[in-house]
Amino acid sequence: MRFVRRYLVPRLIQYVLVLWLGITVIFFIPRLMPSDPVEAQINTLLLQGTFLGPAVVEEMTGILREMYGLKGGLLEQYVSFWRRLFSGDFGPSLFMFPTPVIQLIGQSLPWTVGLLLVSTVLGWIIGNISGGLTGYFRQSRILRVFDGMAMFVRPIPYYIMALMLIILFAYLLPVFPLGGALVIGTEFSFTWSIVWNLFKHAFLPLMSLSLLGVAVNHQTMRLIIQNVKQEDYIWYAKIGAVKERTIFARYAMRNAILPQITGLTLSLGQIFGGALITEIVFSYPGIGWLLFRAIILTDYNLIMGITTISIVAIITGILIIDLLYPLFDPRIRFK
Amino acid sequence: MKTLRELFRDSRFSLGAAVLFVLVVLALLSFFSPYDPTEWRVVPRDMPPSWEHLLGTNSMGQDVFWRMTFAARNSLIVAVFGAIISRAIAVTVGLVAGYSGGIVDRVLMFISDGFMVIPLFLILVLLAMLIREHMNLVNMALLFGIVGWPWDTRLIRSQILSLREREFTYTAILSGTPTRKLIFNEYFPFIIPLVLATFINHTAFVVGMEMTLALIGLTDLTIPTLGAMLQWAVSYQAILLGLWWWLSVPIGVAVALFVALYLVSVSISVYLDPRARIQRVGAR
């Protein structure tokens, strides 16, 4: 019961508050802007050479205002914004009319979630192991090389990494395809050739995301484990002739991994942004690619839908990791 | 001066600073450019690197080297101003939260914690989408300045919290020093090094975000920045046409800039770390 009161309830309250903050920010951004999205939308239409009479423009402004939820007073808009959010209704996409926005996002979301999940887990595990080894066994020359590599890879942004990988492995050494998720015209099913095809297309995006994850986790883990190594209990274990391998795996790593879980929750938002960019570079059919098309076509409804859903998804994802945290931290579990 | 000499002892700092120096020189060279960066077809198109055109020319008939100098200049300007704005917000919020404490502290920290987990990229896209037509250098700096402060706010706040409990704070308050004077004269010397280290990180963040937004077409692509240069090369399919010099120049400059900024910031934060300082003094 103490766990529920001391950990679960405050965490859930925090979740609701952060969610409220995020959604409120999204709500207010377009309304604080000097330019009116409805006017902008109609201007784009007029610029494309469509002729519209004044009466039609008037009518369209009304319809668009209603579609954007810009009708009525600020409070009324705010309430209806939340109501629409809970019913998952973001209106139709303007450029793929009348497909609902929620359906377009539903088609893209699995690709992004898959990419993000695999690359984050991969980067986290590999980075922590290599960082842990490098931090614990400082003398090893081979492990020091990892340090140098991480130093170089760490500051490079996702899309630059993606472009470098494309040049290397899709253009200079054409091993992997340039973009896409499957060969055009194939439907997904569980046959060997299609799964292999899927893997080939996903390999470079996965690489560009997880390489950076490895570098980041490597560096933080190295620093943490260097500090852990100076703790007294490690020293006692050494005097007590516990095997070096056991000390490393069960004493040092076990304690150093905890801040890394917290780090993962904090950086998830960044990794998500990176995944969106990587998808754009590789034309991978996830949320990022959808967002890119929505921006090009100025599909305002779709952009609002993507932003809102992504923020809800990320905050919920962080909540889930945080709720799993007691599984790893005995101090919280036994309290 | 002594600080600088100590910093240059670190090979990471000297390397990073040297690369940064070269980039700044390149940016300054833009004032001597023989071509106008916004004009097309001033030189033959698609020429590989030669003595006449050091880094070749692109499909729009522009000299890649001279365009790169303008790009470096504009990107650095946006980055520095964005970082200054964001630092100003971070210092103000951190100071107010740390010094006043109580409910003000809690509200401010809740807001900054909230912004730490929300994906910034999406917020930036939403904002950039709405001021798309007005994305000049000033607005870009403002846009990147209003994000990215929460991390450093936390750092500054915790520093203030610890300073507030120190002896000299009590002495100052008891001897009637006004709060403003206390903050500017007594606390700022402690905060400025912190701000400098995070300043460099934010500079890198702004350059990266500018490139990201340019890549998805949300900045004014007629202003030569590193992002705009990359975007033109990508959208003209420079890879497929075999114009490697066009695409690799912005990538190369960006990688050099990011690595240099990172090396400098790592070396500065190691320098600021009290444990490392003890080691350094002990080693001498």
Side-chain angles (χ1 to χ4, degrees):
Chain A
M1 253 353 261
R2 266 188 86 185
F3 163 73
V4 173
R5 219 181 52 230
R6 303 249 334 236
Y7 185 74
L8 191 67
V9 173
R11 188 61 192 79
L12 283 176
I13 293 174
Q14 194 200 356
Y15 169 74
V16 172
L17 281 174
V18 170
L19 202 62
W20 168 79
L21 180 72
I23 301 296
T24 307
V25 167
I26 300 179
F27 173 81
F28 275 109
I29 286 174
R31 284 161 182 85
L32 291 176
M33 283 293 143
S35 65
D36 183 352
V38 175
E39 299 283 326
Q41 185 74 38
I42 286 173
N43 280 342
T44 338
L45 274 179
L46 290 174
L47 278 176
Q48 282 165 353
T50 327
F51 174 75
L52 299 167
V56 184
V57 170
E58 193 78 10
E59 193 184 333
M60 261 178 71
T61 315
I63 295 171
L64 280 175
R65 235 169 246 294
E66 195 165 344
M67 270 172 60
Y68 284 150
L70 285 172
K71 221 177 176 185
L74 208 59
L75 189 71
E76 199 183 321
Q77 288 177 24
Y78 191 61
V79 173
S80 80
F81 189 79
W82 274 100
R83 198 178 309 128
R84 282 171 54 193
L85 179 70
F86 277 115
S87 55
D89 168 25
F90 294 98
S93 157
L94 296 176
F95 279 83
M96 278 164 270
F97 200 81
T99 324
V101 162
I102 196 82
Q103 194 184 331
L104 287 171
I105 296 176
Q107 284 164 4
S108 316
L109 202 59
W111 293 102
T112 304
V113 171
L115 194 66
L116 199 64
L117 209 63
V118 177
S119 59
T120 312
V121 170
L122 219 64
W124 197 77
I125 293 177
I126 299 176
N128 279 329
I129 293 175
S130 77
L133 286 171
T134 322
Y136 196 81
F137 304 102
R138 288 299 291 166
Q139 321 77 298
S140 163
R141 288 256 164 133
I142 307 163
L143 289 169
R144 283 257 179 98
V145 175
F146 279 120
D147 254 7
M149 272 155 63
M151 196 83 169
F152 178 76
V153 171
R154 165 89 187 258
I156 297 174
Y158 290 103
Y159 51 93
I160 297 268
M161 183 58 99
L163 281 170
M164 293 202 300
L165 285 175
I166 283 195
I167 294 175
L168 272 177
F169 293 111
Y171 176 68
L172 290 179
L173 292 167
V175 198
F176 293 103
L178 269 174
L182 281 170
V183 169
I184 296 163
T186 45
E187 285 282 321
F188 182 73
S189 60
F190 277 101
T191 60
W192 172 241
S193 70
I194 290 201
V195 171
W196 173 242
N197 194 275
L198 188 81
F199 172 75
K200 258 178 103 168
H201 279 85
F203 186 79
L204 286 185
L206 272 182
M207 276 288 280
S208 61
L209 282 171
S210 35
L211 265 181
L212 290 165
V214 169
V216 172
N217 285 311
H218 174 96
Q219 289 200 320
T220 32
M221 190 60 179
R222 201 200 66 209
L223 283 178
I224 295 170
I225 212 131
Q226 273 174 356
N227 286 332
V228 167
K229 205 185 163 187
Q230 286 158 6
E231 296 277 345
D232 288 340
Y233 59 83
I234 300 281
W235 192 234
Y236 289 139
K238 267 190 194 155
I239 296 171
V242 181
K243 259 188 263 159
E244 190 82 29
R245 213 161 12 142
T246 321
I247 300 180
F248 171 70
R250 309 223 35 174
Y251 292 28
M253 279 300 257
R254 188 81 170 77
N255 279 293
I257 211 82
L258 294 172
Q260 283 294 75
I261 298 171
T262 323
L264 183 65
T265 61
L266 279 179
S267 60
L268 202 62
Q270 251 86 350
I271 305 172
F272 180 75
L276 296 190
I277 296 296
T278 312
E279 281 174 15
I280 293 169
V281 175
F282 287 102
S283 326
Y284 203 75
I287 293 284
W289 180 238
L290 192 67
L291 182 71
F292 179 52
R293 278 193 306 178
I295 291 169
I296 290 179
L297 301 168
T298 54
D299 191 337
Y300 190 78
N301 261 3
L302 191 51
I303 294 177
M304 273 311 255
I306 292 173
T307 325
T308 318
I309 293 216
S310 307
I311 286 185
V312 173
I314 285 296
I315 295 176
T316 314
I318 291 171
L319 175 76
I320 292 171
I321 302 178
D322 270 357
L323 291 185
L324 291 178
Y325 190 74
L327 290 181
F328 304 100
D329 191 348
R331 281 171 302 184
I332 292 181
R333 197 169 23 178
F334 290 122
K335 243 178 195 168
Chain B
M1 241 31 248
K2 195 165 147 271
T3 321
L4 261 182
R5 214 179 312 130
E6 295 234 323
L7 276 171
F8 269 108
R9 270 206 204 143
D10 187 349
S11 58
R12 284 175 299 192
F13 185 85
S14 352
L15 181 65
V19 175
L20 277 184
F21 179 73
V22 171
L23 286 174
V24 170
V25 168
L26 279 179
L28 290 178
L29 270 181
S30 67
F31 290 105
F32 306 100
S33 166
Y35 311 109
D36 181 352
T38 51
E39 264 182 42
W40 290 27
R41 306 204 179 172
V42 280
V43 287
R45 295 168 48 199
D46 297 342
M47 301 290 280
S50 61
W51 278 116
E52 202 179 337
H53 303 294
L54 273 179
L55 292 170
T57 66
N58 63 22
S59 295
M60 287 118 70
Q62 295 165 322
D63 187 293
V64 173
F65 175 79
W66 291 108
R67 203 173 151 73
M68 183 264 288
T69 60
F70 280 99
R73 185 177 89 192
N74 287 335
S75 280
L76 283 175
I77 288 175
V78 170
V80 167
F81 278 102
I84 289 176
I85 296 168
S86 146
R87 271 346 60 187
I89 299 177
V91 171
T92 317
V93 177
L95 271 175
V96 170
Y99 195 78
S100 45
I103 186 82
V104 179
D105 180 32
R106 262 195 247 152
V107 169
L108 286 176
M109 278 305 108
F110 163 68
I111 293 174
S112 77
D113 282 357
F115 279 111
M116 263 158 102
V117 292
I118 294 169
L120 276 181
F121 169 66
L122 288 169
I123 300 281
L124 275 176
V125 164
L126 209 57
L127 281 167
M129 185 72 203
L130 291 158
I131 54 165
R132 203 177 193 175
E133 281 99 53
H134 320 281
M135 271 299 244
N136 50 26
L137 291 181
V138 178
N139 283 342
M140 256 197 269
L142 272 174
L143 183 67
F144 298 125
I146 59 170
V147 294
W149 47 266
W151 277 269
D152 312 321
T153 298
R154 227 167 216 294
L155 217 63
I156 290 163
R157 172 180 165 269
S158 57
Q159 179 78 35
I160 291 287
L161 279 182
S162 91
L163 287 176
R164 212 178 52 172
E165 301 304 321
R166 296 259 193 101
E167 204 91 324
F168 70 80
T169 306
Y170 295 123
T171 318
I173 291 174
L174 287 177
S175 56
T177 319
T179 315
R180 191 168 43 88
K181 215 172 158 192
L182 175 71
I183 287 174
F184 282 102
N185 294 359
E186 308 292 338
Y187 290 174
F188 258 52
F190 289 94
I191 296 174
I192 282 171
L194 266 181
V195 173
L196 267 182
T198 59
F199 181 87
I200 295 166
N201 289 336
H202 196 79
T203 314
F205 166 82
V206 173
V207 176
M209 265 301 160
E210 187 273 317
M211 292 183 88
T212 314
L213 289 191
L215 206 65
I216 54 178
L218 279 177
T219 59
D220 186 349
L221 294 174
T222 53
I223 303 172
T225 57
L226 286 176
M229 220 176 146
L230 189 66
Q231 158 68 13
W232 283 111
V234 169
S235 64
Y236 267 67
Q237 303 292 355
I239 312 179
L240 295 178
L241 295 171
L243 310 172
W244 54 269
W245 55 91
W246 186 9
L247 187 62
S248 50
V249 166
I251 292 184
V253 172
V255 169
L257 182 60
F258 286 123
V259 174
L261 286 173
Y262 181 69
L263 288 176
V264 169
S265 106
V266 164
S267 145
I268 289 184
S269 35
V270 167
Y271 179 78
L272 291 176
D273 187 5
R275 273 169 301 185
R277 193 172 286 175
I278 290 166
Q279 269 176 11
R280 205 168 38 242
V281 172
R284 233 183 287 155

